[in-house]
Amino acid sequence: PRRIFESLKPHLRRVYVSKEQFLFQQDDELEYVYFPETAVISEFHILDDGRMVEVSITGREAAIGIATLYQADRIANCVQVTQAGNVLKIESSLLKKLSRMYPELPMLLHSTLENYIRQISQKAVCNMY
């Protein structure tokens, strides 16, 4: 909704991210939440033998780091830019504060988590075959 977007807008910074740039490494602190505009971002899990397995891919339909709204302070996987482009970013601590001011905000962003779970579930089924 426009009212909520207008409250977020002054705190969002548009930045350009380069292909193969890492936004997070596994177990990094979630300092920012990223909303891709034209960039595409992949999340990878690093296995004990050093191999990387893609867990999810996110474009403009979702966000990276949204779990910070649900008490997660660290990211579980590596996050790397797959396609260069623009993202909007906001400090996670500020997004938490705004979510307390606008209780509907976490519910609006909840669909991001639902899409993430669906994507992981699909990849698990595909990997089985």
Side-chain angles (χ1 to χ4, degrees), residues 13-82:
R13 286 196 357 229
R14 179 173 283 116
V15 295
Y16 180 82
V17 291
S18 303
K19 185 175 180 170
E20 299 183 8
Q21 175 182 344
F22 280 93
L23 301 180
F24 296 109
Q25 293 288 340
Q26 196 166 321
D27 295 320
D28 275 356
E29 204 171 305
L30 284 165
E31 294 180 52
Y32 294 98
V33 175
Y34 295 89
F35 297 91
E37 289 184 304
T38 58
V40 177
I41 300 169
S42 292
E43 187 171 334
F44 296 93
H45 187 79
I46 299 175
L47 303 174
D48 289 339
D49 64 5
R51 290 181 296 154
M52 292 173 59
V53 177
E54 186 177 57
V55 175
S56 70
I57 191 162
T58 303
R60 64 176 298 153
E61 77 287 346
I64 301 292
I66 208 71
T68 192
L69 290 177
Y70 304 97
Q71 303 306 317
D73 290 328
R74 302 204 174 269
I75 194 144
N77 299 303
C78 292
V79 177
Q80 186 178 33
V81 178
T82 305

